[in-house]
Amino acid sequence: MKRYLLPLLGLLAFSCNDAGEGQKPQAVARVGDAYLYRDDLKGIVPAGTPKEDSIAIVKSYIDRWASQKLLYSRAQVNLSKEKQEEYDELIRQYKVDLYTKAYMEEIVKSRVDTVIAEEELVKYYNDNKGNFRTTGTLVRLRYIRMDKEHPKLGTVKSRFGSGNKKDLKALNDMAIQFKSYAFNDTTWVEMNEVYSKLPFITPDNRDKYIGSGISYQYPDSTDVYLVKVSRVIDRNQVAPFEYIRPTLEQVIINNRKLELIKKFEKEITDDAIKDKKYEVYK
């Protein structure tokens, strides 16, 4: 099925020493009229690989190469002419698509404007908000988890309850004393994150602990949780602007890309017609 023309150990030695300049490429295997050369084996063995593993890697690579060549040769003999023509056309079209896609990506990368004004974001959101629905519950809250015997627990409760900037700053300054915390209740988070940060909340008791405007303390055996829920948005509601802002930015940029592609395609077609490189015969 195959034939090795050089010992595998010799191939491994070559992998560390390039062939001298001007030397003819040396084949290591042959299948029919196809040859596999030493240069084709460069880089297939990671540096530092033990000798036995290196030999196995090289042998496996040569075997796969031979198998592919043999299967391809057999397919050319056994597949019908119609099927081969069909596949050849798919290959030609794939090459065209691949080159075109790569070229358009370069054009878009160099020309598309990625700066989006706030007014454009807000307008797009207001015009299309019905298309942006929540896929789960979103929550805005702040919380502190701390030792229930902490000497400053009373002070922390008072400052946490007031919620004014001065008190929140004071809490932030002593945050190293908390086991975990989150003070930014203007950021939307998903329920899975809430379950992770507040493990006493489960899908079964969620409605008891998660509701817009509620505040509470939850003690367990060693700790106490101070929680203030600002707002809750249930599943399948209009997603808040702040939460989907990154999505809005990506949608607008993608729309700009599509418009740029359409414009560019029209320009090159118009130029080809003008230069008489493109004609439609009636």
Side-chain angles (χ1 to χ4, degrees):
M1 181 176 178
K2 60 185 178 295
R3 179 182 174 192
Y4 298 114
L5 303 180
L6 287 174
L8 292 178
L9 285 174
L11 300 181
L12 295 177
F14 173 80
S15 68
C16 299
N17 299 281
D18 293 340
E21 185 178 352
Q23 291 184 4
K24 293 182 179 180
Q26 291 180 288
V28 297
R30 178 185 66 82
V31 171
D33 295 329
Y35 289 86
L36 180 69
Y37 295 98
R38 279 188 166 191
D39 284 351
D40 299 324
L41 301 177
K42 286 183 179 179
I44 69 169
V45 178
T49 303
K51 183 188 296 183
E52 291 185 1
D53 292 341
S54 300
I55 293 174
I57 291 171
V58 172
K59 184 177 185 302
S60 176
Y61 183 91
I62 295 174
D63 286 344
R64 286 198 307 273
W65 174 85
S67 295
Q68 289 176 346
K69 293 296 182 184
L70 290 165
L71 285 170
Y72 179 66
S73 178
R74 189 70 59 86
Q76 287 180 308
V77 172
N78 289 280
L79 287 177
S80 67
K81 180 181 179 181
E82 292 77 12
K83 184 62 70 174
Q84 291 188 48
E85 289 175 349
E86 177 185 343
Y87 288 144
D88 287 341
E89 178 56 32
L90 288 174
I91 292 169
R92 284 192 291 270
Q93 187 58 51
Y94 177 72
K95 181 178 180 179
V96 170
D97 293 341
L98 191 64
Y99 273 70
T100 302
K101 182 176 182 293
Y103 178 53
M104 291 308 303
E105 285 177 351
E106 290 299 318
I107 293 295
V108 167
K109 187 188 302 183
S110 63
R111 296 189 185 183
V112 72
D113 182 7
T114 58
V115 177
I116 306 174
E118 185 72 12
E119 295 78 7
E120 183 177 1
L121 275 174
V122 173
K123 184 178 186 306
Y124 190 88
Y125 173 73
N126 289 332
D127 291 344
N128 300 277
K129 62 173 59 178
N131 297 327
F132 299 102
R133 299 277 176 174
T134 55
T135 57
T137 301
L138 299 178
V139 184
R140 282 182 6 195
L141 58 74
R142 64 176 185 268
Y143 83 94
I144 293 176
R145 178 187 177 187
M146 61 188 300
D147 193 314
K148 65 193 318 182
E149 302 300 329
H150 195 287
K152 295 185 178 180
L153 177 57
T155 301
V156 171
K157 286 181 180 180
S158 176
R159 287 175 171 168
F160 183 82
S162 78
N164 63 50
K165 291 183 179 180
K166 180 180 178 181
D167 286 330
L168 289 178
K169 183 180 183 305
L171 291 174
N172 194 63
D173 290 342
M174 61 181 299
I176 193 173
Q177 302 176 47
F178 307 143
K179 294 187 176 180
S180 64
Y181 65 93
F183 297 141
N184 187 3
D185 57 1
T186 62
T187 299
W188 293 97
V189 297
E190 298 177 357
M191 274 305 304
N192 286 338
E193 187 171 348
V194 175
Y195 293 143
S196 173
K197 299 297 184 182
L198 306 177
F200 62 90
I201 301 178
T202 67
D204 293 333
N205 66 18
R206 189 189 75 178
D207 292 343
K208 177 180 178 181
Y209 295 107
I210 298 297
S212 295
I214 66 172
S215 301
Y216 56 88
Q217 301 172 32
Y218 181 89
D220 62 17
S221 57
T222 59
D223 302 328
V224 60
Y225 294 83
L226 309 178
V227 183
K228 166 68 176 177
V229 181
S230 300
R231 191 180 169 197
V232 178
I233 295 180
D234 292 324
R235 182 179 179 275
N236 203 34
Q237 301 300 307
V238 174
F241 175 80
E242 300 87 352
Y243 181 72
I244 63 165
R245 184 191 186 97
T247 301
L248 294 171
E249 292 174 345
Q250 193 58 56
V251 168
I252 290 174
I253 290 175
N254 286 341
N255 288 342
R256 290 179 180 178
K257 289 179 179 179
L258 291 175
E259 288 299 318
L260 180 59
I261 290 172
K262 289 180 182 178
K263 180 181 178 182
F264 184 72
E265 288 176 342
K266 185 177 186 305
E267 286 177 353
I268 61 173
T269 302
D270 291 343
D271 288 344
I273 293 173
K274 181 179 178 181
D275 297 337
K276 300 189 182 303
K277 294 180 179 179
Y278 170 43
E279 296 178 293
V280 177
Y281 302 114
K282 297 182 180 180

